[in-house]
Amino acid sequence: MKIDGNAGVRLVRTDTGSAGTIFNSDGTQAPIYVERRYIKARPNFDQMAPKVSLNNPTERKFIARDSNNNIIAQYPTGGSGNPFLRPITLDNYDVTGEWYFAPTGSFTIGGFYKKVDGFLAGGTTFQNFNGVTYAIGTTVNTGKGTVKGFEAAYQQFFDFLPGPLSGLGVQANYTYVDSSVTNPFATTGSNIPTTVPLEKLSKHSYNLVGLYEKGPITGRLAWSWRGKYFDTT
């Protein structure tokens, strides 16, 4: 049995300086500047942009309700990036088995388990500007959680078929993912769930591809599908 692998270390230090503007609802502006340093994977640049826009306090209200759907407060709204986002960390555990049962055929199955901390989620935070509390749509870090599942893949050319049919082939794969992270927007005593799935991550997905490779003719017809997913925290 042949065994191969690789080992190594990569260290990346990131220094960020984010300069932006607070756009007040009365038309005035104020500068904002944030510096950060860390040695981990950083969020996307646009998510860290320190731009704040505040809507007119008398318009576009954010309505807070209790568990009985009664209105308990109303806030003016706004939006911002978040230069205070912390790095995302993961501990990954993977195992994969591959079977090459023919010169042009293989079957692969793999399992994975990931311990995650700090994945990004979109939602609403409450911040004070000029003595007024605003409901600000922004991006924040989630808490700790897990991502686990498995994936399977099959591909083969049917080159044992006669004549032009020997160019036919197929690829197919399926992935199952179960994820759960701490909800950064959960509050004590509310009906907001304390854990949620990762955003945009379907529990079930698959791809099915028909192939043809023969002489000068090449073709593929693909069908891709993913199940429902959690859109916004």
Side-chain angles (χ1 to χ4, degrees):
M1 178 182 294
K2 294 183 178 181
I3 299 176
D4 64 8
N6 59 76
V9 175
R10 183 179 68 174
L11 181 66
V12 179
R13 192 186 82 173
T14 300
D15 294 283
T16 67
S18 303
T21 305
I22 299 175
F23 295 89
N24 295 307
S25 59
D26 59 2
T28 60
Q29 301 178 11
I32 181 173
Y33 185 77
V34 177
E35 288 186 334
R36 301 295 300 278
R37 171 180 290 181
Y38 39 80
I39 309 177
K40 294 177 181 177
R42 62 182 180 270
N44 291 334
F45 176 78
D46 60 328
Q47 295 167 321
M48 300 174 63
K51 177 183 177 181
V52 181
S53 298
L54 304 176
N55 297 316
N56 190 318
T58 63
E59 301 175 355
R60 299 179 64 180
K61 293 285 189 178
F62 177 91
I63 300 176
R65 301 176 183 271
D66 62 17
S67 58
N68 295 318
N69 207 34
N70 298 313
I71 297 176
I72 57 176
Q74 298 187 50
Y75 302 93
T77 59
S80 78
N82 186 356
F84 297 100
L85 288 173
R86 57 187 172 86
I88 303 164
T89 60
L90 301 91
D91 294 321
N92 302 302
Y93 305 91
D94 300 86
V95 60
T96 303
E98 301 174 346
W99 177 35
Y100 296 91
F101 56 83
T104 58
S106 66
F107 178 75
T108 305
I109 188 168
F112 52 87
Y113 180 86
K114 306 175 187 293
K115 296 171 63 177
V116 303
D117 186 15
F119 262 82
L120 303 182
T124 301
T125 62
F126 297 92
Q127 303 177 31
N128 190 284
F129 295 95
N130 302 321
V132 179
T133 299
Y134 286 79
I136 302 294
T138 188
T139 302
V140 301
N141 293 102
T142 62
K144 296 182 178 181
T146 59
V147 181
K148 55 188 175 181
F150 70 91
E151 51 194 354
Y154 159 77
Q155 66 177 17
Q156 183 178 11
F157 274 97
F158 305 114
D159 48 8
F160 52 83
L161 295 175
L165 295 179
S166 62
L168 290 172
V170 65
Q171 289 179 330
N173 60 67
Y174 167 78
T175 303
Y176 170 83
V177 181
D178 182 39
S179 64
S180 177
V181 295
T182 303
N183 184 357
F185 302 102
T187 56
T188 304
S190 73
N191 61 344
I192 302 174
T194 56
T195 60
V196 292
L198 282 179
E199 295 181 358
K200 312 295 191 296
L201 189 61
S202 297
K203 181 169 287 190
H204 304 278
S205 61
Y206 68 81
N207 297 278
L208 182 62
V209 184
L211 307 171
Y212 190 83
E213 299 274 354
K214 191 71 173 179
I217 300 176
T218 297
R220 56 186 282 129
L221 180 64
W223 171 269
S224 298
W225 180 90
R226 63 182 296 188
K228 62 183 181 180
Y229 54 85
F230 189 60
D231 187 54
T232 303
T233 305

